[in-house]
Every structure is written in C-alpha cells, then in structure tokens.
C-alpha cells in the first residue's frame, strides 16, 4: 500500500515550540493575583493526627488561606477504589500524605508558614512488608476493610497437579523487584483558577489524564463535571506518573482557589515529587515450572504479591495485567496463577510505563533461562519449542486468531541481528581476565490497550476551516510520546493534507471528547482509529458536496496533496477553495469520530476469557560486560525487535525504543527507591540513580510490521513494550557472563560482589 | 589559559539589590581579599565553583548571609611550574586538570581522577580547592593529592601556613581550616624519580556518580628499579581519604615484579573502616578494596 503521510518519519509537529522554549509548561502559567501554595507533609509514615494548630501560620504576613482535611468536601477519591485521602484526616497512612496546604502571596511566605504549623502526632507502628500485611489478623491499614488485601486475581487452566506429574524437570524460583520512580524531568505542577468563564474551577498543569483529573476534582469538590475544566499544558514527561498524584494536587489547589477567590499555583520540588508521587509496584514472585526432558512446558504455578502501599490507586488493574502475562508468551496446558495486591504503610504504587508487566517478565524470562540451563538446552531453542504462533491458546484460554502472531519473527530477527547463538556459546566458555562478556534475551507478548479493565473507546473532533486548514480536538493527550504528530499524519493521510495544515489543540475538557486516559499504549491504536473515523466522515461529506456540485461520482473523487481530483484523475480544485465554497453552501465541516474497540471478555473467578483484542510481540537482546572484581556492569548493546503492526512514524517508533530500552536498563542495573520503615531514603536524583547518556549502550532497533486488521493503517502499540524486556535480558546476559543468577532487581555492583542488596525495598530493617 | 565564551561574559552580574541586607564580596586581588577578611567581622561564606555549596544549601540559600566569591581572583587560577614543584591555584577547575598535558604527564593519577569527576558541567565549575575544603571522604581528587605528597598553602588575615594534605582531613566533611582561612594553592613536589601510578574509581554508573570506593597508587622507583617510595590511598572507605601506610611499608625496596600482591591487598582491606551507606555496604567495600588493590598493582607491573 502506498502512503503519503503515514508510514513516514515526519518531523514532530510540536518540536519547534519545544526547542525554542515557547512551549508553556504547568509551572510557567501565571495569572493576576496568583497565590503560591505549599503542602505540609506528615512527619511519620503511620501516625494518628491528634491536633493541628494553624494559629501561628495564619498570622504570618502574606498568608491568605490554609486548608486541612476539614476543608475538603469529599476527602476520598480514586479511579477504581475511592480510598485515597486528599489530605490526611485522622491518620497519615504513608510518608507522602499531606496534612495541610498553605496559599500565600509569595512562595517564601508559604514555605515559612508551613514551618509554623504545629501538628501533634501519635506515632503508630505500621506495616511495611506486603507479606506481613497479608497475614491473617494483622492490623488493618483501611479499617473499613476486612483484610489488607486490595485485590486477588486467580487464573486457572487445565490441571496443575497433572501437569507437574507429567513433567520430568521441575524448578522453583523466587524473584523480587523494587519500587521505581517514573523520573519525569518536570515535577508535578498545577494552577487552579476560580470562576473562569462558566467553570467553577479551571485547572492548568502537567496533567497526564485530564478526564481522570476532572473526575477526581469534581468528586472532591462535590461539583458537577461540567463545571470543572481541565486544560493540559505541555508535559515534561509522565510515564504513567501524573495521574492520581496530580489529581490530588489539583483538588488541593482548587479548594484553596475557591476559598481565596484567587488563582493558586501548586508546584512540587523534586524531593516533594519523589516523596508524594506513587511508584511502580515492588513484586515478590514465586514461580514453579515443569517441563519434559525435551523442553515441552507442562505446568506453571505462579504467585505474585504486589505492594500497593497506602492506597488502592491502580493496583487492581496493574496486577490484572500481570495475571494475563505472567506465564509469558508460552503455550502451557496447565496453569495456576495468583496475583495479589496488599496495603502497607509504604508509599502508594500506581501506573508506570509497563504497568505490571516488567516485574513478571523479569521473573518468567529469567526462569526460562534457568530452565534451559537445567535441561542443558540453549535458551532460544527452549523458547522456540513453546512460544505462541497463530491460533495458539493463551494461559487465559484465548485463541490468537485475529492477527499475525509474530513472536517467532521478532525472536529470530533479534537473534540473528545480534549474533546471539555464536556469542552465547562463546561467552559461556571460561573467559580470561576480570571482565566477562555475556549475552541474554527476553521475549514478551503484550495486550494492547485497556483490555477488560474498562470500556475502551475514544473520540476525535475535526474542524475544517474555510481556508482548508484543520483543527483537531482529541481526548487523548500528548505526553511527550509523539501523539500529536501521529494523529496529524493519520488525518492528513485521509484528507490529503500536509500535517502542517492540521493543528492539534491541547486537551481541554471543555471541548475534547472524553476518551478515557492516555495509558496502556492505547492512543495510536484506539485514538488513531477515532481520527480515521472522523477524517473519513469529513471526507465523505466533501465527496458528496463535490459529486453534487461538479457532476462527479463519489467513487472517482480523490483527496491528495491538498487538492481534489475527479474522474480520470483530473484536478477539480484545491481543498482550501472547496472548504470556503462548502462553508458558504452550509455544508457541515466539523466531524466527529468515535471508535469503540472490539469485544473482549473476562471471567474474574477463573481468569479465563479474551482479555485483549490484539497483542504486540517483542524480543530484546542484551550484551554486557561484567567486571567480576568491582561488580560494575557495562551494557554494551541492546538489540530490540518489536512488532508494531504498522509504524505510522518510524522515527517516533525508534525514539520510543531508545527511551524504553534506557528505562529498562535503569530498571535492570541501577534504579531502586529505597525505603526503611516507610521512610524514603533517596528523595532526589543524587541518590536515586537513573542512567546517564554515558550509560547508554549501542541500541539497534528492529521495527517489525504485521499490520493488524483492527489498527489504524494496521498500527498497534510501542510505548510500553520497549521497557518491559530490558531487565530480564540483562539478567540473562549477566548470568551468561559471570555464571551468576541474580533474582532480585536491580542487578547492581553489590549483588554481583556480595549477592545482596543494601536494603530491600519495602523490607524491614 | 583563560577562555571565556561570549555567553558567560555577557551574563548579567549579580546585582547588589539581591543582597541588600547582607554583603557580597568579589575581590579581584589577594590584597583585596585579605583586606576583606581582616575588615569584616561577621560570618563569611566562601564560594568557589559552588557545586558543593549550592547543593548543600538547596532551597535554603537565603540562610547564607555574607558571601565571599573567589571567582575573580585570577591569582588563584594559576598553575605554575617550577623545577622542584608545581603549584596549582585553588580555583583551578577539574576541567583544566583533566585537559592539561603537563598535568597528565607529571601527575597522571590526578589527571584521571579529575576527568572522572561528575560531568562536563560539574568539571567546568567545580574546583580543586572546593574539592579539598569540602573534605568528603569520597572527594575524587583527595587520594591523588595524598599519593603525590601534596602540601596546602592556607592564607588568612594573620599570614599563611603550609600543611601536608595528609594532615588536613580530620573526619567526614571536616578539616583543620579555621574561620577566616582560605586555601590559596596546592603545592606538589617534583622529584627526578620514575613514577608509576594507577587510579581506580568504582561507582554505580558511568558518570555523575559519587565513588563507592576509589584507589590511588603511586610508586617511585630508584635507578636500580627498586621501589623507593610507595603511596596507596583509598577513598570512600574511611572517615577521611586514607593512606594505607603499612601496605606502603610492606613493598618498600622491593623489585616491582616481586611485590607480594596478596599481602598488600589484605592489608588494605583490613585497614580501611568502611560503613554501610547508599553507595555501598561495608562488606562490599572491603571485598572490592581487596580486588582493586590487586588490580592496581598488576596494572603498574605492566606499565
Ligand atoms: C552533580 C554533581 C556531581 C559531582 N560529582 C563529583 C565527583 O564525581 N567527584 C567528586 O569528588 N566530587 C563531585 N561533586 C562534588 C563537587 O563538584 C566537587 O567537590 C568540587 O570540586 C567542589 O568544588 P567547588 O569549586 O564547586 O566548591 P564550592 O561548592 O564552591 O565550595 C565547596 C566548599 O569549599 C569551600 N571553599 C571552596 N574553595 C575554598 C577555598 N579556596 N578556601 C576555603 N574554602 C573554600 C566553600 O566554602 C564550601 O564550603 C559533584 C557535585 C555535583 C553537584
């Protein structure tokens, strides 16, 4: 198929404003009389709040208002379970809980006032280990519940006992992963403006999901949705991280704005951001796998326990994705998987790029290599024997028959391009010197979009102007991933317009169609289909108008290069001219596209059904050099093969691969938010280490394209798959290099030399 | 040596308005500097590159009252070569130390350590003087200075004194500097010996990283190729950068190829007193001290 605008590495439409500094971010917003707010956080992770004395703080000059939980109309919110406190009421449940928020004329005055608030606490003994929280009879973090369990997702397939009976080899392993910070470069920022136009409150800011924030603010303020307006500014990154924490900040700022009748700005420092924003879930996983001598997988039994921290947040859905993907992309007849989330007094956990998959992939892809070793088989061969193909049946009983199952293709391409087999065998032999090389791989299948989490639909409005230019209003948001460009390309392809004629408007809940959240690598797939629909609706109206006015048949009419062509490809007129004529004739030039994803199903009791309507497949290969005398790991090269359906913008796809590989590398060898009894020990980037440009390996991206029947021009997902594979591939490479299997992330110097971590995330002292 | 890009020169100077209740001094000469120290009674905070100071006072810079900025003191930015010594002004940046050929030739360990500091941004602002006065056990230039027997010239209103770098550090972020004293320069003696040296920095990533442990080694050989003087110093594994004198003694007068590497490594690993912190456990540091001592000694053997 020939394309003019999609399938091309077009320059990003938002690049100019970003590199020139013209782009406005949340913290850049300024309004007359704007006040500066600051939050006072709890002193103890778990404590009773006996008294809050605001007197001294209120008397400070320039202080205009102070709020505590008492001032919050409805103090508990949440997308799935409403139990997150906007401000701590009777108790603080984790170290980032807010106690009070001050609004003052200057930031300095707000900071000073914060220091003058006297809080009387009664420190309580908390629970900081999900396995402890799980124990029957342990004290309840949320007293209204019967236990500390947030959720349990079971999955049952076949007969697990029989499966292990039929196995010749059975191995059992335990793996664990730490808390991870999303590490967006721009800390959270919101400005709430009261009574702007017809809205009670308007919130501007670094908001990943404007509709989720709208819902949260409306519920907290007990106000109607149509009175709450959220406008998204440019985002300095999010990676799943600017949802609930920003909603909570938006609600706090909104309450202060209504109280003072002035705009209120609430912007976090990095320390505040790390302390109050939710993290990626730490998992403790137990895997048991059985196979025949020749490598046929027979049974898999999995238990994964996630630390939800103080609130439910996204735990029910994060652990649901884990239950679907926990076995990896392998056909296993007998499966018993249980994933759980438990409340603790740790920092709460929520969405982060990958969303419940990087943890289980680290475990299951490490396990496959361990099994291969046990069977004396090479890791590629073992995988090839068991991977999904067309019409395979997944662990949840879904038959993969709607799209090309390209696992073998991505695996083979990555293996060949990286020279895996030759290197794997060479590195396995005794190596001289302190620096040992190793190579490892991992593969995955990943459900695209929300799946059975929620209704999956999105809308787009296209408005063709009289000069042939177009405004595009989307409910899904640019979070830095390149969405604006991709949508402009899809609309441009159908309307025959250059992308510079299409203007993607910032998401504004006043106009944009509620399309759910920009999460789950769903925006190109779901929103892209909506763009296609809206553009086709508009195109059909144009065709009809031209056919009627110029004695053409609609079938002959083609929109291309900004022009309209008719019978025998004769140019009729420019789209610009047509637009002004059609407008004068009263043709509606605004169109709506609404896309609802194909049907899916899920039986929560047994974990069976068709959880996602399509999947993507990926394989990453890591080549490393381990200094066995210092423990230093040098990741030399990552080869990443990903099936994206169709690359709407190949340069963008590569960008996602480079970025995701780097985040996966950080997850693999250095990132770890350290906690001790609920206190966070590394609250800034001097001690919370993420990879620098010097740590960046050579990255070889391989884009695999098998257009999906349900994707716009065949496109599927790329954002999250790129991150979920790296840690597992690196773990396998380290094992190949140093003959040392490390089952606990991050695989840092300590672990290579002394085989343990400085402190376990979430563990006891 | 002075190369200032246009952008830097054109930047607006700090204006007196920002400091209306307090003082901001920027002396242009040593004379003026001494006059300020002598004439000003209140607390003065000295700022060089600011890369430690600004981080330590993050979000509470306003608490610093009176400033003494050394950045216009060109005299402190000199590197002077003499027959028997090299003098490095305290305001010399890591960037210059890591780029100068003379430094590379004469003090390769110092040169390499300077190149390992932070990132280009940090190296181009951070100074050797700031590194010394901060006195962090993890300061990367400190082990190299100790193995080269550096001396520090300290000036004050009352005069000046010269101390051994090895006597300067008294604990984590603690040193012998008194109120009103300023580190003027670092003096490194030169001998006609043949030097063999090694620098190893171990950290959790490849740049912008505080050392988990570091090692500086310098051996000077006499004509008959026996070890005349040995210096081994470990960073980040004790309250101060630590010279391991017993290990140094153990290899004196030995032939390089006959050093008992194991013995030296054991001594080093025993003499340090590492702690558990965010950059590593004591156990890790002891094990790695052993490993990197072996590594450094085999490296010099092959030089
Ligand atoms: C991101 C980052 C990375 C870093 N990486 C490293 C690293 O890898 N290795 C490393 O060793 N360090 C590192 N540092 C620390 C720092 O950059 C160095 O210690 C640097 O040499 C400090 O020099 P400065 O000129 O910036 O000192 P300043 O911050 O200006 O001063 C530091 C202290 O010394 C005092 N002082 C400075 N000069 C004098 C003087 N002449 N006389 C008396 N007192 C004086 C000041 O009052 C202050 O107390 C890093 C810092 C940052 C922010």
């Amino acid at each position: 198929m020939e394309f003019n605008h999609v399938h091309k590495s077009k320059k990003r439409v938002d690049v100019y404003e970003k590199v020139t500094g013209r782009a406005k971010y949340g913290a850049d917003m300024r309004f007359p009389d704007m006040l500066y707010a600051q939050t006072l956080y709890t002193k103890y992770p778990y404590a009773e709040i006996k008294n809050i004395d605001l007197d001294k703080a209120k008397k400070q000059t320039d202080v205009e208002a102070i709020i505590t939980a008492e001032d919050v109309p409805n103090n508990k919110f949440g997308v799935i379970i409403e139990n997150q406190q906007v401000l701590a009421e009777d108790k603080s449940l984790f170290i980032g809980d807010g106690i009070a928020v001050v609004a003052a004329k200057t930031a300095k005055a707000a900071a000073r006032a914060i220091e003058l608030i006297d809080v009387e606490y009664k420190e309580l003994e908390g629970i900081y280990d999900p396995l402890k929280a799980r124990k029957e009879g342990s004290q309840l973090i949320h007293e209204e519940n019967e236990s500390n369990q947030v959720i349990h997702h079971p999955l049952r397939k076949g007969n697990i006992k029989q499966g292990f009976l039929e196995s010749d080899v059975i191995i059992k392993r335990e793996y664990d992963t730490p808390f991870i910070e999303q590490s967006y470069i721009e800390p959270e920022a919101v400005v709430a403006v009261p009574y702007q136009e017809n809205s009670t409150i308007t919130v501007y800011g670094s908001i990943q999901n404007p509709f989720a924030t709208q819902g949260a603010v409306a519920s907290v303020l007990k106000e109607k949705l149509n009175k709450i307006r959220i406008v998204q500014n440019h985002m300095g990154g999010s990676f799943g991280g600017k949802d609930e924490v920003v909603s909570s900040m938006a609600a706090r700022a909104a309450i202060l704005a209504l109280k003072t009748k002035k705009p209120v700005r609430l912007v976090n420092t990095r320390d505040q951001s790390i302390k109050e924003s939710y993290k990626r879930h730490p998992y403790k996983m137990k895997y048991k796998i059985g196979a025949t001598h020749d490598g046929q997988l027979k049974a898999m039994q999995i238990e994964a326990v996630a630390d939800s921290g103080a609130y439910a947040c996204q735990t029910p859905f994060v652990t649901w994705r884990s239950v679907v993907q926990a076995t990896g992309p392998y056909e296993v007849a007998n499966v018993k998987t249980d994933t759980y989330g438990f409340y603790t007094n740790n920092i709460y956990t929520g969405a982060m790029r990958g969303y419940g998959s990087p943890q289980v992939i680290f475990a299951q892809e490490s396990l496959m290599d361990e099994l291969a070793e046990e069977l004396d088989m090479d890791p590629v061969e073992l995988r090839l024997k068991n991977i999904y193909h067309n019409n395979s049946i997944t662990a949840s009983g879904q038959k993969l028959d709607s799209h090309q199952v390209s696992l073998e293709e991505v695996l083979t391409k990555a293996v060949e391009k990286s020279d895996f087999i030759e290197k794997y065998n060479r590195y396995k032999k005794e190596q001289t010197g302190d620096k040992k090389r190793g190579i490892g791989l991992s593969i995955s299948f990943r459900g695209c979009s929300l799946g059975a989490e929620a209704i999956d639909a999105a809308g787009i409005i296209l408005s063709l102007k009289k000069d042939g230019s177009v405004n595009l209003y989307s409910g899904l948001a640019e979070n830095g991933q390149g969405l604006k460009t991709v949508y402009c390309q899809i609309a441009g392809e159908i309307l025959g317009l250059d992308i510079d004629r299409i203007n993607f408007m910032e998401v504004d809940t006043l106009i944009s169609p509620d399309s759910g959240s920009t999460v789950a690598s769903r925006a190109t797939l779901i929103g892209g289909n909506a763009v296609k629909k809206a553009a086709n609706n508009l195109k059909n109206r144009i065709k009809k108008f031209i056919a009627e006015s110029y004695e053409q048949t609609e079938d002959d009419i083609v929109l291309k290069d900004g022009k309209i062509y008719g019978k025998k490809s004769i140019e009729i007129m420019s789209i610009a001219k047509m637009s002004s004529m059609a407008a004068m004739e009263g043709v509606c030039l605004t169109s709506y596209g609404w896309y609802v994803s194909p049907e899916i199903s899920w039986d929560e009791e047994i974990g069976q059904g068709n959880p996602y309507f399509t999947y993507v497949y990926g394989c990453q290969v890591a080549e490393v050099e381990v200094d066995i005398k210092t423990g230093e790991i040098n990741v030399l090269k990552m080869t990443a093969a990903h099936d994206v359906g169709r690359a709407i913008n190949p340069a963008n796809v590569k960008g996602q691969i480079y970025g995701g590989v780097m985040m996966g590398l950080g997850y693999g060898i250095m990132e770890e938010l350290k906690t001790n009894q609920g206190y966070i020990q590394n609250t800034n980037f001097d001690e919370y280490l993420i990879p620098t440009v010097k740590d960046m390996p050579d990255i070889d991206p391989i884009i695999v394209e098998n257009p999906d029947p349900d994707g716009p021009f065949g496109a599927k997902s790329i954002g999250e798959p790129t991150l979920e594979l790296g840690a597992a591939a690196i773990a396998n490479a380290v094992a190949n290099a140093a003959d040392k299997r490390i089952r606990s992330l991050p695989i840092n110097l300590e672990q290579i030399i002394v085989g343990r971590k400085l402190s376990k995330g979430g563990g006891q002292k | 040596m002075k190369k200032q890009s246009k952008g830097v020169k054109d930047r607006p100077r700090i204006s007196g308005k920002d400091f209306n209740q307090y003082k901001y001094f920027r002396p242009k000469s040593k004379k003026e500097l001494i006059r300020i120290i002598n004439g000003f009674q209140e607390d003065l905070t000295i700022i060089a590159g600011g890369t430690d100071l600004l981080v330590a006072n993050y979000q509470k810079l306003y608490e610093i009252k009176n400033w003494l900025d050394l950045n216009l003191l060109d005299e402190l930015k000199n590197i002077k070569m003499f027959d028997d010594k090299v003098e490095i002004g305290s305001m010399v940046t890591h960037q210059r130390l890591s780029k100068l050929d003379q430094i590379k030739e004469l003090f390769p360990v110092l040169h390499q350590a300077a190149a390992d500091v932070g990132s280009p941004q940090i190296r181009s602002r951070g100074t050797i003087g700031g590194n010394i006065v901060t006195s962090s056990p993890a300061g990367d230039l400190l082990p190299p200075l100790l193995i080269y027997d550096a001396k520090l010239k300290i000036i004050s209103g009352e005069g000046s004194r010269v101390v051994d770098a090895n006597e300067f550090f008294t604990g984590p972020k603690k040193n012998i500097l008194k109120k009103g004293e300023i580190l003027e320069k670092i003096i490194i003696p030169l001998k006609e010996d043949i030097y063999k040296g090694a620098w190893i920095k171990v950290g959790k990533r490849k740049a912008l990283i505080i050392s988990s442990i570091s090692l500086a080694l310098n051996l000077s050989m006499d004509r008959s190729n026996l070890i005349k003087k040995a210096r081994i110093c470990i960073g980040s594994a004790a309250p101060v950068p630590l010279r391991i004198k017993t290990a140094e003694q153990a290899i004196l007068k030995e032939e390089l190829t006959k050093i008992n590497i194991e013995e030296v490594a054991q001594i080093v690993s025993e003499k340090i007193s590492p702690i558990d912190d965010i950059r590593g456990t004591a156990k890790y540091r002891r094990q790695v001290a052993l490993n990197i001592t072996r590594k450094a000694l085999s490296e010099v053997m092959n030089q």
Side-chain angles (χ1 to χ4, degrees), chain A residues 269 271 434 627 629-630 632 634 670 674 682 685 687 689-690 692 694-695 749-750 753-754 758, chain B residues 58-59 201-209 276-281 283-284 287-288 291-292 295:
Chain A
T269 63
D271 288 86
D434 291 344
D627 186 328
K629 291 296 160 61
T630 62
E632 287 161 303
N634 188 0
M670 65 180 83
K674 293 187 170 116
N682 41 356
F685 287 143
E687 295 187 326
L689 303 180
I690 56 174
T692 68
K694 285 269 204 177
D695 300 285
L749 302 74
E750 284 283 333
I753 298 297
V754 289
L758 184 56
Chain B
Y58 176 57
Q59 290 204 322
K201 168 173 178 169
V202 181
K204 289 189 169 178
R205 64 181 172 195
K206 291 189 198 158
L208 278 167
I209 191 72
D276 285 351
D277 69 13
I278 202 129
R279 287 176 281 282
T281 56
K283 194 173 169 198
Y284 169 82
Q287 180 60 49
V288 173
N291 293 345
I292 59 179
K295 194 165 160 173

Side-chain angles (χ1 to χ4, degrees), chain B residues 2-288:
Chain B
K2 250 179 63 187
K3 236 175 40 188
Q4 272 198 339
S5 73
K6 192 160 173 293
V8 175
K9 231 197 270 167
D10 290 349
R11 218 173 272 162
R13 299 265 162 184
I14 297 171
S15 85
K17 260 200 335 231
D18 301 333
F19 299 93
N20 39 19
Q21 3 175 358
Y22 304 120
K23 292 273 184 252
Y24 195 94
F25 296 106
R26 285 190 116 190
K28 290 203 179 79
S29 69
K30 239 166 76 180
K31 238 198 222 148
E32 199 187 334
L33 170 73
I34 300 295
R35 209 169 52 230
I36 292 165
I37 304 177
N38 276 338
F40 197 75
Q41 297 311 317
E42 287 168 53
D43 267 354
L44 268 176
T45 296
I46 296 160
I47 179 161
T51 59
D52 273 326
L53 195 71
L54 297 190
V55 174
N57 295 282
Y58 176 57
Q59 290 204 322
K60 45 178 200 236
L61 264 186
Y62 54 85
E63 286 181 3
I64 296 181
K65 304 208 161 120
N66 306 299
W67 296 75
L68 176 57
D69 180 341
L70 306 181
N71 281 280
L72 295 185
L73 278 164
D74 288 346
E75 288 161 83
L76 265 50
K77 295 179 187 168
N78 290 332
I79 298 180
K80 283 191 196 149
M81 304 282 174
F82 299 92
D83 285 348
D84 58 343
K85 63 181 177 187
V86 175
E87 293 185 354
I88 302 171
S90 63
M91 287 301 290
V92 169
T93 62
H94 301 293
Q95 176 73 4
R96 275 179 70 206
L97 291 174
S98 67
K99 295 284 181 214
L100 275 179
D101 285 342
Q102 290 102 312
I103 298 291
K104 183 175 181 182
E105 215 168 279
L106 296 171
F107 313 116
V109 179
L110 180 65
H111 167 85
Q112 282 177 45
D116 274 351
V117 169
S119 61
Q121 297 91 324
I122 296 298
R123 288 195 291 277
S124 69
R125 281 210 69 84
T127 62
I128 184 169
N131 202 259
I132 294 169
V133 178
T134 291
S135 302
S136 156
D140 280 330
L141 300 195
L142 313 185
L145 291 172
L146 295 202
I147 60 160
Y148 290 128
D149 293 336
K151 294 186 188 327
L152 309 177
K153 185 173 175 210
I154 296 164
I155 52 172
S156 68
E158 279 107 58
S160 70
R161 56 176 177 148
V162 175
V163 298
D164 270 355
N166 198 28
E167 256 119 58
F168 185 79
F169 308 100
T170 54
K173 309 221 163 158
K174 291 199 182 90
N175 57 46
I176 60 163
L177 215 57
K178 292 193 285 247
K179 207 178 134 189
E181 282 191 318
I182 286 176
L183 174 62
E184 184 194 357
K185 60 187 162 195
I186 296 91
I187 304 158
I188 310 183
L190 280 177
K191 306 254 164 60
E192 273 170 44
D193 299 322
I194 303 163
Y195 291 116
K196 285 175 183 286
W199 165 248
I200 296 175
K201 168 173 178 169
V202 181
K204 289 189 169 178
R205 64 181 172 195
K206 291 189 198 158
L208 278 167
I209 191 72
I210 306 295
S211 300
S212 295
I213 188 164
S214 65
L215 178 150
L217 171 71
N218 192 43
L219 305 178
S220 54
M221 321 298 294
D222 66 15
R223 296 246 151 86
S224 47
N225 225 6
L226 296 181
I227 297 172
K228 192 164 135 195
K229 201 170 79 184
R231 293 285 182 266
I232 303 176
C233 184
I234 302 281
S236 281
V240 293
L242 192 67
R243 260 183 60 193
I244 315 289
K245 293 187 181 167
T246 346
E248 295 172 357
Q249 293 290 328
I251 54 175
L252 267 191
K253 307 213 168 63
E254 290 272 1
E255 221 174 283
L256 187 53
T257 49
K258 298 215 175 108
I259 297 178
N260 184 341
I261 292 186
E262 272 323 294
E263 189 196 341
V264 182
Q266 283 299 342
I267 297 173
V268 169
S269 165
E270 275 159 28
K271 289 287 169 189
I272 56 174
S273 52
I275 53 163
D276 285 351
D277 69 13
I278 202 129
R279 287 176 281 282
T281 56
K283 194 173 169 198
Y284 169 82
R285 287 178 160 127
R286 253 188 227 290
Q287 180 60 49
V288 173

Side-chain angles (χ1 to χ4, degrees), chain A residues 473-493:
Chain A
Y473 303 91
S474 164
L476 295 173
E478 173 70 60
N479 289 331
Q481 77 278 45
L483 174 88
K484 287 182 177 177
T485 312
V486 161
Y487 281 13
C488 291
Q489 285 180 266
I490 294 174
E493 185 67 40

Side-chain angles (χ1 to χ4, degrees), chain A residues 532-544:
Chain A
K532 236 182 114 180
K533 276 199 158 178
N536 274 322
N537 287 345
L538 188 57
K539 182 162 126 179
N540 290 339
R541 273 187 230 144
I542 295 169
K543 281 187 173 180
K544 186 159 175 257

Side-chain angles (χ1 to χ4, degrees), chain A residues 314-365:
Chain A
Q314 302 277 324
T315 300
F317 292 168
V318 168
T319 50
W320 179 71
R321 184 172 281 278
S322 309
V323 88
V324 176
Q325 291 181 220
T327 55
Y330 306 107
E331 278 201 81
V332 192
N334 309 293
V335 181
K336 176 174 185 279
T337 305
D338 295 277
T339 62
Y340 300 88
F342 293 98
Y343 294 112
T344 64
N345 294 110
N346 284 324
I347 179 126
Y348 72 121
T349 44
M352 179 177 173
R353 192 179 190 182
Y355 202 81
S357 76
Q359 296 96 330
V360 292
I361 290 173
F362 165 65
Q364 143 250 314
E365 284 302 275

